[in-house]
Amino acid sequence: MPEIAALEALEILDSRGQPTLQVEVTLTDGVHAVAGVPAGASTGQNEAAELRDDEPDRYDGRGVLAAVGSVRRQIKDLLKGRKLNRLEDVLEADRLVEELDGTDNLARLGANATVGVSMALARAVAATWGMPLWQVLLEEQSRDRARIPVPHFNVVNGGAHAENDLDFQEFMIAPVGSPSFAEALRAGAEVYTSLRRQLHERGMPTGLGDEGGFAVQMDRVEDVLTLIVTAIETAGYRAGHDGVAIALDPAANGFRTSEGYTVAGENYTSGEMVSWYEALARRFPVWSIEDGLAEDDGAGWQELTTRLGESVQIVGDDIFVTDAARVQQAVIDRIANACLLKPNQAGNLRRTLDAVAACNSVGYAQMVSHRSGETTDSFVADLAVGIGCGQIKCGAPARGERLAKYNRLLEIEHHSRLPYGLRDADVRR
Ligand code: 2PG
Ligand code: MG
Protein backbone atom coordinates (compact mmCIF):
# COMPACT_ATOMS: atom_id res chain seq x y z
CA MET A 1 0.00 0.00 0.00
CA PRO A 2 1.49 3.38 -0.99
CA GLU A 3 2.69 5.73 1.73
CA ILE A 4 3.59 9.39 1.72
CA ALA A 5 7.34 9.51 1.06
CA ALA A 6 7.87 13.27 0.70
CA LEU A 7 6.03 16.59 0.84
CA GLU A 8 7.51 19.67 -0.76
CA ALA A 9 6.34 23.20 -1.49
CA LEU A 10 7.61 26.21 -3.33
CA GLU A 11 6.60 29.81 -3.77
CA ILE A 12 5.18 30.42 -7.26
CA LEU A 13 3.13 33.32 -8.68
CA ASP A 14 -0.62 33.41 -9.33
CA SER A 15 -2.52 35.08 -12.18
CA ARG A 16 -2.26 38.49 -10.47
CA GLY A 17 1.50 38.16 -10.13
CA GLN A 18 1.21 37.55 -6.38
CA PRO A 19 3.00 34.79 -4.52
CA THR A 20 1.18 31.55 -3.83
CA LEU A 21 2.13 27.93 -3.15
CA GLN A 22 2.77 24.93 -5.29
CA VAL A 23 2.60 21.78 -3.16
CA GLU A 24 4.14 18.49 -4.27
CA VAL A 25 3.72 15.04 -2.80
CA THR A 26 5.67 11.89 -3.63
CA LEU A 27 4.42 8.43 -2.66
CA THR A 28 6.41 5.26 -2.04
CA ASP A 29 4.97 3.80 -5.26
CA GLY A 30 6.72 6.56 -7.20
CA VAL A 31 3.60 8.68 -7.80
CA HIS A 32 4.28 12.43 -7.84
CA ALA A 33 1.36 14.88 -7.64
CA VAL A 34 1.28 18.67 -7.69
CA ALA A 35 -1.28 21.32 -6.67
CA GLY A 36 -1.44 25.10 -7.17
CA VAL A 37 -3.19 27.20 -4.51
CA PRO A 38 -5.63 30.00 -5.48
CA ALA A 39 -6.20 33.28 -3.60
CA GLY A 40 -9.17 35.63 -3.32
CA ALA A 41 -9.32 39.44 -3.43
CA SER A 42 -12.85 39.96 -2.07
CA THR A 43 -12.81 37.67 0.92
CA GLY A 44 -15.33 36.83 3.63
CA GLN A 45 -14.29 37.75 7.16
CA ASN A 46 -14.53 34.15 8.33
CA GLU A 47 -12.54 32.43 5.63
CA ALA A 48 -9.74 30.08 6.64
CA ALA A 49 -6.68 32.32 7.01
CA GLU A 50 -3.84 32.45 4.51
CA LEU A 51 -0.37 32.72 5.99
CA ARG A 52 1.50 35.63 4.35
CA ASP A 53 5.03 36.69 5.29
CA ASP A 54 5.33 39.86 7.29
CA GLU A 55 8.19 41.18 5.15
CA PRO A 56 7.20 44.51 3.59
CA ASP A 57 10.31 44.56 1.37
CA ARG A 58 9.40 41.31 -0.32
CA TYR A 59 6.31 41.22 -2.59
CA ASP A 60 4.72 43.99 -0.46
CA GLY A 61 4.52 41.59 2.45
CA ARG A 62 2.57 39.01 0.43
CA GLY A 63 5.28 36.34 0.24
CA VAL A 64 4.34 32.81 1.33
CA LEU A 65 7.69 31.45 2.51
CA ALA A 66 6.31 30.81 5.99
CA ALA A 67 3.47 28.74 4.51
CA VAL A 68 6.01 26.90 2.35
CA GLY A 69 7.88 26.19 5.59
CA SER A 70 4.69 24.76 7.18
CA VAL A 71 4.49 22.20 4.37
CA ARG A 72 8.19 21.38 4.28
CA ARG A 73 8.54 20.95 8.02
CA GLN A 74 5.52 20.51 10.33
CA ILE A 75 3.07 18.99 7.85
CA LYS A 76 5.69 16.74 6.25
CA ASP A 77 6.86 15.49 9.66
CA LEU A 78 3.24 14.74 10.58
CA LEU A 79 2.23 12.92 7.38
CA LYS A 80 5.40 11.20 6.18
CA GLY A 81 5.01 7.42 6.32
CA ARG A 82 1.17 7.50 6.44
CA LYS A 83 -0.66 5.29 3.99
CA LEU A 84 -2.43 7.04 1.15
CA ASN A 85 -4.71 4.78 -0.79
CA ARG A 86 -8.13 6.37 -0.94
CA LEU A 87 -10.13 9.52 -0.30
CA GLU A 88 -10.70 8.55 3.33
CA ASP A 89 -6.92 8.70 3.91
CA VAL A 90 -6.83 12.24 2.51
CA LEU A 91 -9.66 13.32 4.81
CA GLU A 92 -7.92 11.72 7.80
CA ALA A 93 -4.70 13.55 6.89
CA ASP A 94 -6.73 16.79 6.75
CA ARG A 95 -8.08 16.07 10.21
CA LEU A 96 -4.59 15.47 11.63
CA VAL A 97 -3.31 18.67 10.03
CA GLU A 98 -6.23 20.59 11.56
CA GLU A 99 -5.32 19.14 14.95
CA LEU A 100 -1.66 20.07 14.50
CA ASP A 101 -2.66 23.61 13.55
CA GLY A 102 -4.87 23.99 16.59
CA THR A 103 -6.73 27.14 15.45
CA ASP A 104 -10.24 27.24 13.99
CA ASN A 105 -9.20 29.07 10.85
CA LEU A 106 -5.90 27.25 10.25
CA ALA A 107 -4.03 30.51 10.75
CA ARG A 108 -0.95 28.94 12.35
CA LEU A 109 0.13 26.64 9.51
CA GLY A 110 -1.75 28.74 6.95
CA ALA A 111 -4.85 27.67 5.05
CA ASN A 112 -2.90 28.24 1.83
CA ALA A 113 -0.52 25.49 3.00
CA THR A 114 -3.21 23.11 4.27
CA VAL A 115 -5.45 23.35 1.20
CA GLY A 116 -2.48 22.80 -1.11
CA VAL A 117 -1.50 19.65 0.78
CA SER A 118 -5.06 18.37 0.70
CA MET A 119 -5.39 18.95 -3.07
CA ALA A 120 -2.03 17.31 -3.81
CA LEU A 121 -2.89 14.25 -1.69
CA ALA A 122 -6.23 13.75 -3.48
CA ARG A 123 -4.49 14.02 -6.82
CA ALA A 124 -1.87 11.46 -5.68
CA VAL A 125 -4.63 8.97 -4.86
CA ALA A 126 -6.04 9.43 -8.35
CA ALA A 127 -2.61 8.89 -9.89
CA THR A 128 -1.98 5.75 -7.82
CA TRP A 129 -5.14 4.19 -9.16
CA GLY A 130 -4.82 5.64 -12.65
CA MET A 131 -8.23 7.22 -12.14
CA PRO A 132 -9.47 10.68 -13.03
CA LEU A 133 -9.50 12.92 -9.96
CA TRP A 134 -13.28 13.43 -10.09
CA GLN A 135 -13.76 9.72 -9.61
CA VAL A 136 -11.70 9.71 -6.40
CA LEU A 137 -13.78 12.60 -5.08
CA LEU A 138 -16.89 10.59 -5.82
CA GLU A 139 -15.89 7.81 -3.48
CA GLU A 140 -18.65 6.78 -1.08
CA GLN A 141 -21.31 8.41 -3.23
CA SER A 142 -23.11 6.73 -6.06
CA ARG A 143 -21.57 7.11 -9.50
CA ASP A 144 -24.96 8.26 -10.79
CA ARG A 145 -24.46 11.48 -8.95
CA ALA A 146 -21.50 12.70 -11.02
CA ARG A 147 -22.31 15.26 -13.70
CA ILE A 148 -20.67 17.95 -15.80
CA PRO A 149 -21.58 21.35 -14.37
CA VAL A 150 -23.10 24.34 -16.15
CA PRO A 151 -20.26 26.88 -16.52
CA HIS A 152 -20.91 30.42 -15.31
CA PHE A 153 -18.63 32.61 -17.43
CA ASN A 154 -17.77 35.91 -15.84
CA VAL A 155 -17.86 38.25 -18.84
CA VAL A 156 -17.95 41.65 -17.13
CA ASN A 157 -15.73 42.44 -14.13
CA GLY A 158 -16.14 45.23 -11.59
CA GLY A 159 -15.75 45.69 -7.83
CA ALA A 160 -12.47 44.49 -6.37
CA HIS A 161 -11.57 42.75 -9.65
CA ALA A 162 -11.31 45.71 -12.01
CA GLU A 163 -10.14 49.33 -12.12
CA ASN A 164 -13.48 50.72 -13.31
CA ASP A 165 -16.48 52.47 -11.73
CA LEU A 166 -18.69 49.40 -11.73
CA ASP A 167 -19.61 48.39 -8.17
CA PHE A 168 -21.04 44.93 -8.90
CA GLN A 169 -18.16 42.47 -9.07
CA GLU A 170 -19.31 39.77 -11.52
CA PHE A 171 -21.75 39.53 -14.43
CA MET A 172 -21.86 35.92 -15.59
CA ILE A 173 -23.52 34.09 -18.46
CA ALA A 174 -24.73 30.52 -17.90
CA PRO A 175 -25.64 28.39 -20.94
CA VAL A 176 -28.22 26.37 -18.98
CA GLY A 177 -30.03 25.40 -22.18
CA SER A 178 -27.00 23.91 -23.98
CA PRO A 179 -27.17 20.18 -24.72
CA SER A 180 -23.56 19.47 -23.65
CA PHE A 181 -20.59 21.11 -21.97
CA ALA A 182 -18.82 21.44 -25.32
CA GLU A 183 -21.80 23.42 -26.67
CA ALA A 184 -21.95 25.47 -23.47
CA LEU A 185 -18.29 26.40 -23.82
CA ARG A 186 -18.90 27.33 -27.43
CA ALA A 187 -21.85 29.53 -26.42
CA GLY A 188 -19.73 31.18 -23.72
CA ALA A 189 -16.89 31.90 -26.11
CA GLU A 190 -19.18 33.17 -28.88
CA VAL A 191 -21.05 35.51 -26.54
CA TYR A 192 -17.73 36.73 -25.12
CA THR A 193 -16.52 37.55 -28.64
CA SER A 194 -19.84 39.18 -29.45
CA LEU A 195 -19.55 41.30 -26.31
CA ARG A 196 -16.07 42.45 -27.28
CA ARG A 197 -17.49 43.47 -30.68
CA GLN A 198 -20.33 45.40 -29.01
CA LEU A 199 -17.84 47.31 -26.88
CA HIS A 200 -15.59 47.95 -29.85
CA GLU A 201 -18.51 49.30 -31.93
CA ARG A 202 -19.41 51.69 -29.11
CA GLY A 203 -15.81 52.90 -28.97
CA MET A 204 -15.39 51.53 -25.46
CA PRO A 205 -12.19 49.96 -24.07
CA THR A 206 -11.98 46.16 -24.08
CA GLY A 207 -9.45 45.77 -21.26
CA LEU A 208 -9.94 42.86 -18.89
CA GLY A 209 -10.38 42.45 -15.14
CA ASP A 210 -8.80 39.83 -12.89
CA GLU A 211 -11.10 37.01 -13.99
CA GLY A 212 -10.83 37.73 -17.71
CA GLY A 213 -14.17 39.54 -18.09
CA PHE A 214 -14.29 42.99 -19.69
CA ALA A 215 -13.61 45.83 -17.26
CA VAL A 216 -16.28 47.96 -18.91
CA GLN A 217 -16.34 51.72 -18.42
CA MET A 218 -19.96 51.80 -17.27
CA ASP A 219 -21.41 52.22 -13.83
CA ARG A 220 -25.12 51.46 -14.32
CA VAL A 221 -25.99 47.80 -13.74
CA GLU A 222 -28.96 47.98 -16.16
CA ASP A 223 -26.71 49.24 -18.95
CA VAL A 224 -24.33 46.32 -18.45
CA LEU A 225 -27.19 43.80 -18.42
CA THR A 226 -28.68 45.31 -21.59
CA LEU A 227 -25.29 45.05 -23.27
CA ILE A 228 -24.93 41.40 -22.23
CA VAL A 229 -28.40 40.49 -23.51
CA THR A 230 -27.56 42.17 -26.82
CA ALA A 231 -24.31 40.21 -27.00
CA ILE A 232 -26.15 36.93 -26.31
CA GLU A 233 -28.74 37.61 -29.00
CA THR A 234 -26.24 38.91 -31.54
CA ALA A 235 -24.27 35.69 -31.09
CA GLY A 236 -27.42 33.80 -32.08
CA TYR A 237 -28.56 32.52 -28.67
CA ARG A 238 -31.74 32.99 -26.71
CA ALA A 239 -31.28 35.14 -23.60
CA GLY A 240 -33.33 33.25 -21.07
CA HIS A 241 -33.66 30.44 -18.60
CA ASP A 242 -33.89 27.92 -21.44
CA GLY A 243 -30.93 29.40 -23.37
CA VAL A 244 -28.15 31.56 -21.98
CA ALA A 245 -29.14 32.91 -18.58
CA ILE A 246 -27.41 35.53 -16.45
CA ALA A 247 -25.94 35.17 -12.95
CA LEU A 248 -24.72 38.01 -10.76
CA ASP A 249 -22.17 38.21 -7.97
CA PRO A 250 -22.48 41.80 -6.76
CA ALA A 251 -20.16 40.89 -3.81
CA ALA A 252 -22.05 43.41 -1.70
CA ASN A 253 -19.45 43.55 1.11
CA GLY A 254 -17.56 45.73 -1.35
CA PHE A 255 -20.17 48.52 -1.44
CA ARG A 256 -21.54 48.22 2.08
CA THR A 257 -21.68 51.46 4.06
CA SER A 258 -22.62 52.14 7.68
CA GLU A 259 -26.10 53.19 6.46
CA GLY A 260 -26.73 50.52 3.84
CA TYR A 261 -25.25 50.23 0.36
CA THR A 262 -23.89 52.66 -2.23
CA VAL A 263 -24.01 51.65 -5.90
CA ALA A 264 -23.10 54.06 -8.72
CA GLY A 265 -23.27 56.91 -6.23
CA GLU A 266 -26.84 56.10 -5.08
CA ASN A 267 -27.61 55.02 -1.52
CA TYR A 268 -29.88 52.04 -0.83
CA THR A 269 -31.25 50.39 2.29
CA SER A 270 -31.18 46.59 2.22
CA GLY A 271 -34.94 46.57 1.52
CA GLU A 272 -34.36 48.83 -1.46
CA MET A 273 -31.57 46.55 -2.68
CA VAL A 274 -33.98 43.60 -2.54
CA SER A 275 -36.62 45.54 -4.52
CA TRP A 276 -33.97 46.44 -7.05
CA TYR A 277 -32.92 42.79 -7.46
CA GLU A 278 -36.57 41.86 -7.86
CA ALA A 279 -36.92 44.40 -10.67
CA LEU A 280 -33.67 43.23 -12.32
CA ALA A 281 -34.83 39.59 -12.24
CA ARG A 282 -38.13 40.62 -13.85
CA ARG A 283 -36.54 42.64 -16.60
CA PHE A 284 -33.49 40.47 -17.37
CA PRO A 285 -32.99 36.67 -17.40
CA VAL A 286 -31.14 36.68 -14.06
CA TRP A 287 -31.37 33.16 -12.66
CA SER A 288 -28.86 33.37 -9.78
CA ILE A 289 -27.67 36.10 -7.41
CA GLU A 290 -24.63 35.56 -5.17
CA ASP A 291 -23.77 37.84 -2.25
CA GLY A 292 -26.48 40.31 -3.18
CA LEU A 293 -26.15 41.67 0.36
CA ALA A 294 -23.27 41.96 2.80
CA GLU A 295 -22.25 39.18 5.18
CA ASP A 296 -23.26 41.24 8.24
CA ASP A 297 -26.79 41.94 6.94
CA GLY A 298 -28.67 38.87 8.19
CA ALA A 299 -32.08 40.58 8.18
CA GLY A 300 -31.53 41.76 4.62
CA TRP A 301 -30.60 38.21 3.54
CA GLN A 302 -33.82 36.91 5.10
CA GLU A 303 -35.87 39.43 3.17
CA LEU A 304 -33.99 38.69 -0.05
CA THR A 305 -34.62 34.96 0.40
CA THR A 306 -38.28 35.37 1.27
CA ARG A 307 -39.03 37.68 -1.63
CA LEU A 308 -36.88 36.12 -4.38
CA GLY A 309 -35.96 32.63 -3.18
CA GLU A 310 -38.83 30.88 -4.97
CA SER A 311 -37.80 32.08 -8.41
CA VAL A 312 -34.11 32.99 -8.15
CA GLN A 313 -31.13 31.03 -6.84
CA ILE A 314 -29.78 32.95 -3.85
CA VAL A 315 -26.13 31.98 -3.30
CA GLY A 316 -24.11 32.63 -0.15
CA ASP A 317 -20.36 33.09 -0.61
CA ASP A 318 -18.76 35.50 1.89
CA ILE A 319 -21.58 34.81 4.34
CA PHE A 320 -21.07 30.98 4.31
CA VAL A 321 -17.33 30.71 3.57
CA THR A 322 -17.78 27.03 2.59
CA ASP A 323 -18.60 26.09 6.17
CA ALA A 324 -21.04 23.30 7.09
CA ALA A 325 -22.13 24.89 10.38
CA ARG A 326 -22.94 28.20 8.73
CA VAL A 327 -25.06 26.45 6.11
CA GLN A 328 -26.94 24.53 8.81
CA GLN A 329 -27.60 27.77 10.69
CA ALA A 330 -28.73 29.48 7.48
CA VAL A 331 -31.52 26.96 7.03
CA ILE A 332 -32.85 27.79 10.47
CA ASP A 333 -32.54 31.52 9.75
CA ARG A 334 -34.04 31.12 6.25
CA ILE A 335 -31.07 32.65 4.53
CA ALA A 336 -30.24 31.79 0.88
CA ASN A 337 -30.97 28.55 -0.96
CA ALA A 338 -27.52 27.79 -2.37
CA CYS A 339 -23.89 27.85 -1.28
CA LEU A 340 -20.71 28.71 -3.15
CA LEU A 341 -17.90 26.19 -2.59
CA LYS A 342 -14.27 27.29 -2.51
CA PRO A 343 -11.80 24.76 -1.11
CA ASN A 344 -9.34 27.44 0.02
CA GLN A 345 -12.10 29.23 1.92
CA ALA A 346 -12.59 26.02 3.93
CA GLY A 347 -8.88 25.25 4.17
CA ASN A 348 -8.98 21.63 3.03
CA LEU A 349 -10.99 19.00 1.24
CA ARG A 350 -12.46 17.51 4.42
CA ARG A 351 -14.17 20.76 5.38
CA THR A 352 -15.22 21.40 1.77
CA LEU A 353 -16.91 18.00 1.53
CA ASP A 354 -18.54 18.59 4.93
CA ALA A 355 -20.08 21.75 3.50
CA VAL A 356 -21.30 19.75 0.48
CA ALA A 357 -22.90 17.18 2.80
CA ALA A 358 -24.56 19.94 4.83
CA CYS A 359 -25.99 21.49 1.63
CA ASN A 360 -27.27 18.13 0.44
CA SER A 361 -28.91 17.35 3.76
CA VAL A 362 -30.86 20.63 3.75
CA GLY A 363 -31.51 20.81 0.00
CA TYR A 364 -29.28 23.80 -0.78
CA ALA A 365 -27.88 23.98 -4.33
CA GLN A 366 -24.11 24.34 -4.73
CA MET A 367 -21.79 26.12 -7.15
CA VAL A 368 -18.08 25.28 -7.15
CA SER A 369 -15.84 28.32 -7.59
CA HIS A 370 -12.33 29.36 -8.55
CA ARG A 371 -10.72 32.44 -6.94
CA SER A 372 -9.82 35.71 -8.61
CA GLY A 373 -6.13 34.87 -8.12
CA GLU A 374 -5.57 31.51 -9.81
CA THR A 375 -2.97 29.10 -11.11
CA THR A 376 -3.40 26.68 -14.01
CA ASP A 377 -4.45 23.97 -11.54
CA SER A 378 -7.84 22.58 -12.58
CA PHE A 379 -8.79 20.90 -9.28
CA VAL A 380 -12.15 22.68 -8.98
CA ALA A 381 -13.30 21.23 -12.32
CA ASP A 382 -12.92 17.69 -11.01
CA LEU A 383 -14.45 18.70 -7.70
CA ALA A 384 -17.61 19.99 -9.36
CA VAL A 385 -17.95 16.81 -11.43
CA GLY A 386 -17.27 14.51 -8.48
CA ILE A 387 -19.81 16.07 -6.13
CA GLY A 388 -22.26 16.39 -9.02
CA CYS A 389 -23.55 19.82 -8.02
CA GLY A 390 -24.22 20.85 -11.62
CA GLN A 391 -22.75 24.36 -11.39
CA ILE A 392 -19.29 25.94 -11.57
CA LYS A 393 -17.79 29.40 -12.05
CA CYS A 394 -14.20 29.84 -13.23
CA GLY A 395 -14.16 33.29 -14.81
CA ALA A 396 -14.28 34.25 -18.48
CA PRO A 397 -13.83 31.80 -21.35
CA ALA A 398 -10.41 33.42 -21.83
CA ARG A 399 -6.96 33.50 -20.14
CA GLY A 400 -4.99 30.37 -19.41
CA GLU A 401 -5.72 29.98 -15.71
CA ARG A 402 -9.51 30.16 -16.38
CA LEU A 403 -9.41 27.95 -19.50
CA ALA A 404 -7.45 25.30 -17.60
CA LYS A 405 -10.67 24.53 -15.71
CA TYR A 406 -13.04 24.78 -18.67
CA ASN A 407 -10.77 22.71 -20.91
CA ARG A 408 -10.49 20.11 -18.16
CA LEU A 409 -14.30 19.85 -18.11
CA LEU A 410 -14.27 19.44 -21.88
CA GLU A 411 -11.79 16.61 -21.47
CA ILE A 412 -13.87 14.91 -18.75
CA GLU A 413 -16.98 15.13 -20.91
CA HIS A 414 -15.07 13.72 -23.89
CA HIS A 415 -13.80 10.71 -21.94
CA SER A 416 -16.93 9.92 -19.93
CA ARG A 417 -20.61 9.45 -20.50
CA LEU A 418 -21.59 11.80 -17.72
CA PRO A 419 -24.67 13.98 -18.14
CA TYR A 420 -24.33 17.77 -18.48
CA GLY A 421 -26.42 20.38 -16.75
CA LEU A 422 -28.12 21.57 -13.61
CA ARG A 423 -29.48 19.06 -11.13
CA ASP A 424 -33.22 18.48 -11.50
CA ALA A 425 -33.88 20.15 -8.17
CA ASP A 426 -32.21 23.36 -9.36
CA VAL A 427 -33.80 23.56 -12.81
CA ARG A 428 -37.12 24.90 -11.55
CA ARG A 429 -35.65 28.27 -10.62
C1 2PG B 1 -16.03 35.58 -5.47
C2 2PG B 1 -14.62 35.26 -5.90
C3 2PG B 1 -14.46 34.42 -7.12
P1 2PG B 1 -12.49 36.33 -4.92
O1 2PG B 1 -16.27 36.61 -4.82
O2 2PG B 1 -16.93 34.80 -5.68
O3 2PG B 1 -15.08 34.94 -8.25
O4 2PG B 1 -13.76 36.36 -5.90
O5 2PG B 1 -11.70 35.11 -5.28
O6 2PG B 1 -11.75 37.62 -5.17
O7 2PG B 1 -13.03 36.24 -3.53
MG1 MG C 1 -18.49 35.80 -4.53
Side-chain angles (χ1 to χ4, degrees):
M1 193 163 300
E3 291 171 7
I4 297 171
L7 257 179
E8 212 352 339
L10 68 150
E11 187 182 57
I12 60 168
L13 294 187
D14 70 14
S15 55
R16 269 194 283 255
Q18 305 256 329
T20 188
L21 284 90
Q22 172 164 306
V23 176
E24 303 182 9
V25 57
T26 309
L27 304 186
T28 47
D29 61 5
V31 156
H32 184 73
V34 178
V37 176
S42 66
T43 50
Q45 249 178 45
N46 297 301
E47 294 197 15
E50 291 179 327
L51 185 58
R52 298 263 175 200
D53 304 333
D54 198 12
E55 281 180 53
D57 293 348
R58 223 181 145 262
Y59 290 117
D60 288 330
R62 303 209 29 98
V64 293
L65 294 180
V68 164
S70 299
V71 177
R72 285 188 182 162
R73 289 186 286 278
Q74 295 103 302
I75 303 180
K76 187 196 73 187
D77 292 347
L78 176 75
L79 299 181
K80 197 173 164 194
R82 289 193 64 83
K83 80 170 164 55
L84 192 79
N85 196 40
R86 46 188 299 202
L87 178 64
E88 212 174 66
D89 302 328
V90 179
L91 305 185
E92 176 61 8
D94 285 345
R95 203 189 55 74
L96 291 171
V97 171
E98 284 172 28
E99 229 172 64
L100 173 70
D101 180 273
T103 67
D104 281 345
N105 61 359
L106 303 167
R108 202 174 68 80
L109 296 168
N112 41 355
T114 61
V115 78
V117 168
S118 191
M119 290 159 72
L121 294 185
R123 193 166 270 142
V125 172
T128 286
W129 289 98
M131 262 185 200
L133 176 60
W134 63 265
Q135 223 165 308
V136 171
L137 300 174
L138 188 71
E139 198 181 307
E140 290 163 37
Q141 299 183 41
S142 89
R143 196 191 148 92
D144 299 348
R145 207 181 153 73
R147 61 194 303 117
I148 317 274
V150 171
H152 289 65
F153 301 109
N154 184 4
V155 293
V156 171
N157 293 186
H161 295 167
E163 296 296 326
N164 55 7
D165 294 331
L166 190 59
D167 292 306
F168 280 21
Q169 182 177 281
E170 299 172 27
F171 293 75
M172 294 170 272
I173 50 167
V176 281
S178 292
S180 65
F181 183 81
E183 285 302 313
L185 186 56
R186 176 182 157 203
E190 289 179 355
V191 173
Y192 184 75
T193 302
S194 157
L195 186 55
R196 181 191 284 115
R197 207 169 287 131
Q198 294 292 328
L199 290 168
H200 189 74
E201 280 169 10
R202 287 166 171 74
M204 300 180 88
T206 53
L208 305 181
D210 286 355
E211 299 191 350
F214 299 105
V216 299
Q217 295 299 339
M218 295 176 163
D219 61 355
R220 286 194 68 238
V221 169
E222 287 83 355
D223 292 346
V224 176
L225 288 169
T226 303
L227 182 75
I228 292 174
V229 167
T230 307
I232 294 172
E233 289 170 349
T234 312
Y237 294 91
R238 203 169 34 247
H241 296 64
D242 51 352
V244 178
I246 293 176
L248 297 174
D249 177 7
N253 280 351
F255 49 85
R256 178 83 162 138
T257 61
S258 51
E259 314 284 290
Y261 299 88
T262 302
V263 184
E266 301 280 333
N267 297 324
Y268 298 83
T269 63
S270 41
E272 286 164 348
M273 287 298 294
V274 174
S275 300
W276 187 27
Y277 289 132
E278 221 166 15
L280 289 179
R282 254 200 308 271
R283 183 168 159 207
F284 299 98
V286 173
W287 97 278
S288 178
I289 301 175
E290 172 189 332
D291 283 0
L293 297 170
E295 64 180 278
D296 65 352
D297 187 7
W301 272 92
Q302 284 173 333
E303 189 177 347
L304 178 67
T305 310
T306 309
R307 284 169 59 187
L308 270 80
E310 285 300 310
S311 53
V312 178
Q313 175 170 269
I314 306 293
V315 186
D317 170 15
D318 292 345
I319 192 169
F320 292 160
V321 293
T322 315
D323 178 59
R326 285 174 204 278
V327 171
Q328 273 145 359
Q329 186 58 44
V331 184
I332 298 165
D333 298 341
R334 295 172 187 275
I335 282 177
N337 54 32
C339 174
L340 202 73
L341 299 169
K342 293 167 167 168
N344 81 321
Q345 218 170 33
N348 60 34
L349 202 50
R350 194 185 80 80
R351 290 183 176 180
T352 305
L353 294 181
D354 274 357
V356 173
C359 288
N360 287 335
S361 73
V362 299
Y364 273 30
Q366 302 127 51
M367 187 190 292
V368 168
S369 171
H370 68 154
R371 299 306 306 247
S372 49
E374 269 293 340
T375 73
T376 51
D377 189 302
S378 58
F379 191 94
V380 286
D382 283 76
L383 176 65
V385 173
I387 64 171
C389 65
Q391 305 181 40
I392 193 168
K393 66 165 192 175
C394 306
R399 298 184 28 154
E401 75 282 3
R402 314 295 149 185
L403 259 317
K405 285 74 166 166
Y406 294 130
N407 285 338
R408 171 66 183 148
L409 289 166
L410 208 52
E411 186 176 78
I412 296 173
E413 180 171 77
H414 181 75
H415 292 291
S416 71
R417 288 169 191 279
L418 297 176
Y420 162 79
L422 298 176
R423 295 196 304 196
D424 286 347
D426 305 331
V427 171
R428 65 187 158 78
R429 294 191 214 285

